[in-house]
Structure formats: structure tokens, C-alpha cells
């Protein structure tokens, strides 16, 4: 990774010295001041920046307020989830950068996403907007240096000094199917995250995910065994997130996967017409039997380093798809959130615990005594706080659009013993309702943004559809659709709006349905 940063930094330095004097940025009407380079090569630049916050879409993006120590690789990684990055220009003295994507469509997707979710680098908010410039113009040498570094990041940390793995450099694998086990899975790894990571090495045709021996596992099929070989060489032993979610990869003895359903657990990308299966097991019995016979142990490398792609890119892509926390925030990040614009007549510590508990284990909640439309919420770790912020900022709760940001506080203080704070502070540290206590829990694989469709589970046999429709209608909303899974222990229920679904989840998660069954409610990505 160090090699990547060094190469990009050198290239960008040349670019800022040699190229900006010759209009490195091509635009029909630039609002940037000229940049003068002195004869000895040291640059003396005057940079006003781009004044417009919202301009016409461009595949070149202007990034501002970068931390002083940020690396080129971190900036590049911001763009990777949205498409191919084709060039970068760092203006380190101004804490700014220009990032060029391959297509305008990719740039639009990136701007739209980051306008809803403020991007952070090194826990500092940064700002992204369209540049007035339509492309970054560099000389050929610089361009190759930058592109080489970008390619290295995009292909899972291939060293610049080595030869990129190619078809001629590997021996043919026996199978295009990889067997993947994820160790230390403390944060979500979903089918979509795996697809994002492994598609860097070729077209992924099919994926089946399942839990075996309390471990999240997957079978993934490429179209060509060579792609499987490339992926195994690059990814085996890598961490998806810092110090956890380690990939153990081996070749499967299977040569073809029989996928029955396209859902959150399995996907056949060659057959989009497959049914969702209503939660039926994704693993074909024949495949399960063949898999059970595979006994080869996966190698454990001595040194593991976080993946270049997922920590900063696949995680962002997954967040964009509603899965996991944003890049750059490790488990040691800020755990306390500040939630503002709350409905102070309605909100309680319990309601905040239930809603924010969808995205992490809430430890403490404090509604501010002198500002009751604001609250501090302490999550179990920084990934969970980032996840909750990404998904809940801008959502409606009790009729008001709430704002969620990272707090400067490191912990939520409990009131002094004997002091009555009117029930505004509550400690949930030992709550039995935490969803993510158990590492590798299936709950990690079912984290989705707020949606009108709710997933219900732990339904007793005696409760009928009409009972549940009535129960949810009594929360003040309209039930638009309902569908039991085949075993009647789970169901999907669709409210009229996302706000109504949020209200229903707050009111009815852990609701006692009788027969020692407490209803579990979460957001679903499915529709009925």
C-alpha cells in the first residue's frame, strides 16, 4: 500500500508543478485563477477554488476541506464504489482535490449519494461537488503513474512493483467456484459486499451465502477459473474491515452452483427472472452434501492487512446499497451521536433505543435537559454509530425530520446518584434487546435502510394475518400489504410510508404476542 501512495504522490506533485501552468484542467469557462510555476520547478499557486456548490454534472469532481494528512489513495477510494476512477489531482496546500471518474453517470451517482450522507475522511467531514471542468488533462507519464496506482487499488492491493496477475501469470484453477469463510465477523458482510469485492477480478455469475458451524460462509462462481485464481491470490487472508472479517478462500470441488432463488442469501446474476423464494433455504441440498465433503483446511497467513478495496470502497458501496458503515471509521471511532430536531413532546429514551438499536447496540441515551429536541446516543462502537448516522439522518420520526451527526462527546454521562433528571437519561448497557451481541449473528446480515416494508419474526402459530394487520394499523398507519413466509413464523408487512414503518417498528418491536413470543421487527429490502 505504501508503494501506491508514493507513486501517486510523486505523480501528482509533478502534475501540480508542470501541468497546471499549461492548464491541466480543461474547461470551456473556468472560474479558477491561473496557477504560476516558477523556473526552478517550485510551484507558487493562487487557487480560488470553485465557487459554485451546485453546477452542471461533470465526471470531474471538486473535493474540499480535506484533512491535511489525507493520502491520494484515500481520496481515490471515495470514488471506487461508484465506478472506475481515471485520474486525480491533489492540491495539498489548499486541502482540495479533483477526482475524475470514467463516466458522468458514475459522478452523478457519487454526488447524489454523498449529498445525502456527508462523507468523512479521518473522521472529518469533506465536501464534494461537480467541477466546472469536464476532464483532467495530464501528460502521458503522469497519467500512467496515476492510473497504475488507481488500478492497483481497484484490483485489491496488487503491488506496483510486481506484475499484475494476468491470465498468463497463473496456472489454470480446477474450478471457477470459490469457497469463502469469513473469520472474526464482527461487522456485516452481505452478498452485495462479496459481489463488490470479488467482481474486481472478473464477472461473478453466482453467489450462495449461508451459516455453517456458526460461521458466515459463501460459494462464489466466476465464468472463468482464471478469475477465481486471481481473486484467491489477491484476497485470501485479507481483512475486509480493520482487524476483522478475514477472508479464508479455497477452491471448491464444485464446478457449478445451482441457485434456486435471487434474494439476500443467494443470487444468480445470469438469471434475473428467478423467484425470491420467500426465505427458503438458498443452499441446494446436493451442493450442501458436496460442500460437507470438502475438508481441506484454509491457509492462515502470518500477517493480515485490511483490504484496500472494502475498507474504503466496498463499505461505501454497501452503505450506498444500505448495508454497512462508511469507510474510514474503525471500531475505535466516535461512539456518541447527537440527534437533533426531535419531537420533544413524543420522544423518549426508549423510542430512541429501539430505532437506533436497528443499527447497533445502544448503550446509553440522554435527552438534553435544556434542549429537549436533542439527544445524545452512545453506541457500542464507531462502526455502529456511523451506520446509524448513515441510515437515520434525514428520516422522519414522530412527524419531524431528524438530524444525526457525530458528537464531540466520547461517552454519555449518567446523572449523579440521587439526582432526578426526569427520566431523560437511561442506561441500556445490559439490555436483553441488543441485536448484535453475538459475533457472527445473522442480524449482521440483515441490516437495511428504513423502508416501508417490515420484516416480522418470532410469530407464534396462533397469530393470524388479520391479527398482525390490526396490530400494525393501530400504530396510526395504513397496512398496504402482508405476506407470511411458508413456515408462518416470519412475515413481510408493508406500511403506506417509511415514516409509518418507523413508527410501527418503535411501537411494536419486542411486543408480546403471547405464548412467550416477543415480536421482532426490522426493516426489509424486499417488496410485497
Amino acid at each position: 500500500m505504501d508503494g501506491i501512495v508514493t507513486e501517486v504522490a510523486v505523480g501528482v506533485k509533478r502534475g501540480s508543478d508542470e501541468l497546471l501552468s499549461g492548464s491541466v484542467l480543461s474547461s470551456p469557462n473556468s472560474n479558477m485563477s491561473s496557477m504560476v510555476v516558477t523556473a526552478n520547478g517550485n510551484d507558487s499557486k493562487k487557487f480560488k477554488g470553485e465557487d459554485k456548490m451546485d453546477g452542471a454534472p461533470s465526471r470531474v469532481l471538486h473535493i474540499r476541506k480535506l484533512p491535511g494528512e489525507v493520502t491520494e489513495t484515500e481520496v481515490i477510494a471515495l470514488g471506487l464504489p461508484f465506478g472506475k476512477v481515471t485520474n486525480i489531482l491533489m492540491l495539498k496546500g489548499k486541502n482540495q482535490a479533483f477526482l475524475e471518474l470514467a463516466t458522468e453517470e458514475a459522478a452523478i451517482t457519487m454526488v447524489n449519494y454523498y449529498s445525502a450522507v456527508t462523507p468523512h475522511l479521518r473522521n472529518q467531514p469533506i465536501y464534494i461537488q461537480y467541477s466546472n471542468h469536464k476532464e483532467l488533462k495530464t501528460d502521458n507519464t503522469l497519467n500512467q503513474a496515476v492510473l497504475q496506482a488507481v488500478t492497483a487499488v481497484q484490483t485489491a492491493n496488487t503491488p506496483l512493483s510486481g506484475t499484475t496477475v494476468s491470465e498468463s501469470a497463473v496456472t489454470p484453477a480446477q474450478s471457477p467456484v470459490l469457497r469463502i469463510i469469513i473469520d472474526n465477523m464482527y461487522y456485516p458482510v452481505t452478498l452485495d459486499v462479496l459481489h463488490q469485492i470479488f467482481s474486481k477480478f472478473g464477472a461473478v455469475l453466482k453467489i450462495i451465502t449461508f451459516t455453517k458451524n456458526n460461521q458466515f460462509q459463501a460459494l462464489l462462481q466466476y465464468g472463468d477459473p482464471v478469475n477465481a485464481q486471481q481473486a484467491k491470490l489477491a484476497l485470501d487472508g485479507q481483512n475486509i474491515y480493520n482487524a476483522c472479517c478475514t477472508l479464508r478462500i479455497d477452491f471448491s470441488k464444485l464446478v457449478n452452483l445451482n441457485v434456486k432463488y435471487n434474494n439476500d442469501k443467494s443470487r444468480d446474476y445470469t438469471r434475473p427472472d428467478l423467484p425470491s423464494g420467500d426465505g427458503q433455504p438458498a443452499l441446494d441440498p446436493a451442493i450442501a452434501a458436496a460442500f460437507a465433503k470438502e475438508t481441506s483446511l484454509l491457509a492462515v497467513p502470518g500477517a493480515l492487512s485490511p483490504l484496500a478495496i472494502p475498507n474504503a470502497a466496498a463499505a461505501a458501496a454497501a452503505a450506498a446499497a444500505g448495508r454497512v458503515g462508511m469507510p474510514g471509521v474503525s471500531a475505535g471511532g466516535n461512539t456518541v451521536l447527537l440527534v437533533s430536531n426531535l419531537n420533544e413532546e413524543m420522544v423518549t429514551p426508549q423510542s430512541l433505543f429501539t430505532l437506533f438499536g436497528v443499527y447497533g447496540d445502544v448503550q446509553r441515551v440522554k435527552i438534553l435537559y435544556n434542549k429537549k429536541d436533542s439527544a445524545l446516543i452512545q453506541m457500542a462502537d464507531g462502526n455502529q454509530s456511523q451506520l446509524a448516522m448513515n441510515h437515520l439522518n434525514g428520516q422522519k420520526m414522530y412527524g419531524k425530520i431528524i438530524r444525526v451527526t457525530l458528537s464531540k462527546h466520547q461517552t454519555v454521562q449518567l446523572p449523579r446518584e440521587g439526582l432526578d433528571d426526569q427520566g431523560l437519561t437511561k442506561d441500556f448497557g445490559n439490555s436483553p434487546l441488543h441485536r448484535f451481541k453475538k459475533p457472527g449473528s445473522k442480524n449482521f446480515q440483515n441490516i437495511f435502510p428504513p423502508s416501508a416494508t417490515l420484516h416480522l419474526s418470532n410469530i407464534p402459530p396462533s397469530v393470524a394475518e388479520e391479527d398482525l394487520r390490526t396490530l400494525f394499523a393501530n400504530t396510526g398507519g395504513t397496512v398496504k400489504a402482508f405476506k407470511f413466509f411458508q413456515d408462518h413464523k416470519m412475515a413481510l408487512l408493508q406500511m403506506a410510508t417509511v415514516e409509518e414503518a418507523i413508527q410501527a417498528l418503535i411501537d411494536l418491536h419486542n411486543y408480546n404476542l403471547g405464548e412467550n413470543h416477543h415480536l421482532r421487527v426490522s426493516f426489509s429490502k424486499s417488496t410485497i
Side-chain angles (χ1 to χ4, degrees):
M1 203 63 181
D2 293 337
I4 295 173
V5 176
T6 304
E7 283 291 320
V8 179
V10 169
V12 170
K13 182 65 175 172
R14 271 191 60 221
S16 58
D17 283 351
E18 298 175 21
L19 301 173
L20 288 172
S21 59
S23 184
V24 60
L25 299 150
S26 71
S27 170
N29 38 34
S30 170
N31 66 355
M32 292 180 63
S33 61
S34 61
M35 302 188 185
V36 181
V37 181
T38 57
N40 65 2
N42 294 323
D43 46 355
S44 174
K45 307 182 189 71
K46 294 178 180 178
F47 178 67
K48 290 182 180 175
E50 303 202 352
D51 299 322
K52 287 199 298 183
M53 283 303 294
D54 299 307
S58 165
R59 67 191 184 98
V60 178
L61 300 178
H62 180 206
I63 305 173
R64 301 177 294 116
K65 301 288 180 77
L66 289 169
E69 69 279 11
V70 77
T71 66
E72 287 78 5
T73 309
E74 290 173 277
V75 177
I76 291 168
L78 284 171
L80 291 180
F82 306 96
K84 184 179 180 183
V85 176
T86 50
N87 215 337
I88 183 173
L89 178 70
M90 297 287 287
L91 300 172
K92 289 199 169 183
K94 301 294 179 182
N95 299 100
Q96 304 187 13
F98 291 91
L99 194 69
E100 179 188 276
L101 280 77
T103 65
E104 192 173 284
E105 181 184 11
I108 291 171
T109 303
M110 181 172 169
V111 169
N112 287 345
Y113 176 66
Y114 285 131
S115 65
V117 178
T118 303
H120 287 70
L121 281 178
R122 306 200 176 206
N123 290 330
Q124 179 176 318
I126 60 171
Y127 301 92
I128 300 174
Q129 66 199 65
Y130 297 116
S131 169
N132 287 342
H133 310 288
K134 297 303 178 187
E135 65 177 322
L136 293 179
K137 289 210 171 175
T138 61
D139 68 0
N140 189 55
T141 307
L142 167 67
N143 204 40
Q144 289 307 308
V146 173
L147 290 178
Q148 186 183 18
V150 171
T151 302
V153 175
Q154 287 175 324
T155 52
N157 206 10
T158 303
L160 286 181
S161 57
T163 304
T164 301
V165 176
S166 65
E167 189 165 342
S168 61
V170 298
T171 55
Q174 290 185 344
S175 170
V177 178
L178 293 176
R179 172 196 184 196
I180 303 161
I181 296 176
I182 299 181
D183 286 342
N184 305 316
M185 199 176 100
Y186 292 104
Y187 299 102
V189 178
T190 64
L191 184 147
D192 293 302
V193 169
L194 291 175
H195 184 265
Q196 169 71 18
I197 298 167
F198 283 83
S199 62
K200 302 294 180 183
F201 302 91
V204 174
L205 304 186
K206 304 171 185 179
I207 305 177
I208 295 172
T209 66
F210 51 95
T211 301
K212 183 180 173 71
N213 299 329
N214 287 326
Q215 278 189 308
F216 179 76
Q217 306 190 18
L219 294 169
L220 182 145
Q221 181 178 342
Y222 283 104
D224 189 329
V226 169
N227 300 137
Q229 175 85 326
Q230 292 172 338
K232 181 180 183 301
L233 287 173
L235 298 176
D236 186 26
Q238 296 282 359
N239 292 334
I240 296 178
Y241 307 118
N242 284 336
C244 67
C245 300
T246 307
L247 291 166
R248 308 291 187 204
I249 305 171
D250 204 352
F251 292 110
S252 170
K253 294 178 182 177
L254 303 168
V255 293
N256 185 54
L257 300 180
N258 180 19
V259 176
K260 292 183 174 183
Y261 308 113
N262 282 341
N263 54 33
D264 297 334
K265 305 294 186 291
S266 63
R267 196 81 49 84
D268 186 337
Y269 296 93
T270 68
R271 293 190 58 196
D273 57 316
L274 285 177
S276 64
D278 293 343
Q280 287 294 302
L283 194 58
D284 181 85
I287 292 179
F291 182 83
K293 294 176 183 176
E294 297 186 21
T295 57
S296 59
L297 296 175
L298 298 178
V300 182
L304 303 179
S305 60
L307 276 178
I309 300 172
N311 192 41
R323 298 292 188 280
V324 301
M326 284 295 293
V329 180
S330 66
N334 197 337
T335 62
V336 180
L337 297 168
L338 172 64
V339 187
S340 56
N341 202 41
L342 292 164
N343 183 333
E344 57 184 274
E345 302 297 324
M346 302 288 292
V347 73
T348 64
Q350 183 66 45
S351 63
L352 290 169
F353 167 79
T354 303
L355 179 57
F356 281 75
V358 173
Y359 301 106
D361 292 338
V362 176
Q363 303 299 302
R364 295 176 179 178
V365 177
K366 178 189 285 289
I367 296 173
L368 303 186
Y369 186 83
N370 293 321
K371 193 170 172 34
K372 292 187 173 63
D373 69 345
S374 299
L376 295 173
I377 300 177
Q378 183 176 334
M379 308 297 286
D381 62 46
N383 289 77
Q384 293 181 5
S385 59
Q386 190 78 34
L387 191 62
M389 181 175 72
N390 292 344
H391 286 316
L392 295 177
N393 181 43
Q395 296 291 346
K396 263 192 173 183
M397 180 182 183
Y398 296 124
K400 299 189 73 174
I401 296 174
I402 63 172
R403 298 297 172 205
V404 185
T405 58
L406 292 174
S407 169
K408 293 179 181 178
H409 294 279
Q410 297 303 309
T411 185
V412 171
Q413 297 294 327
L414 295 174
R416 292 192 302 275
E417 192 171 348
L419 182 69
D420 179 19
D421 76 338
Q422 302 176 2
L424 297 177
T425 305
K426 190 161 183 184
D427 186 351
F428 294 97
N430 295 317
S431 172
L433 299 182
H434 286 157
R435 297 177 188 244
F436 308 103
K437 274 184 179 177
K438 184 180 176 183
S441 164
K442 289 183 179 179
N443 291 332
F444 282 111
Q445 300 158 39
N446 293 292
I447 299 174
F448 303 107
S451 62
T453 305
L454 296 169
H455 181 275
L456 316 181
S457 60
N458 204 31
I459 302 169
S462 61
V463 173
E465 174 179 337
E466 194 56 41
D467 298 326
L468 291 168
R469 281 180 173 268
T470 302
L471 184 65
F472 277 78
N474 286 341
T475 63
T478 303
V479 177
K480 302 285 285 184
F482 182 93
K483 185 179 183 181
F484 262 124
F485 286 28
Q486 285 186 354
D487 61 4
H488 275 235
K489 293 178 182 177
M490 296 187 292
L492 294 177
L493 182 143
Q494 185 177 335
M495 304 297 289
T497 65
V498 174
E499 182 184 3
E500 288 183 5
I502 289 174
Q503 183 64 55
L505 183 144
I506 290 172
D507 290 347
L508 295 176
H509 178 64
N510 199 45
Y511 183 86
N512 189 350
L513 292 172
E515 302 176 43
N516 203 27
H517 283 68
H518 287 77
L519 182 66
R520 295 186 62 81
V521 185
S522 55
F523 297 115
S524 173
K525 64 168 277 190
S526 304
T527 54
I528 305 174

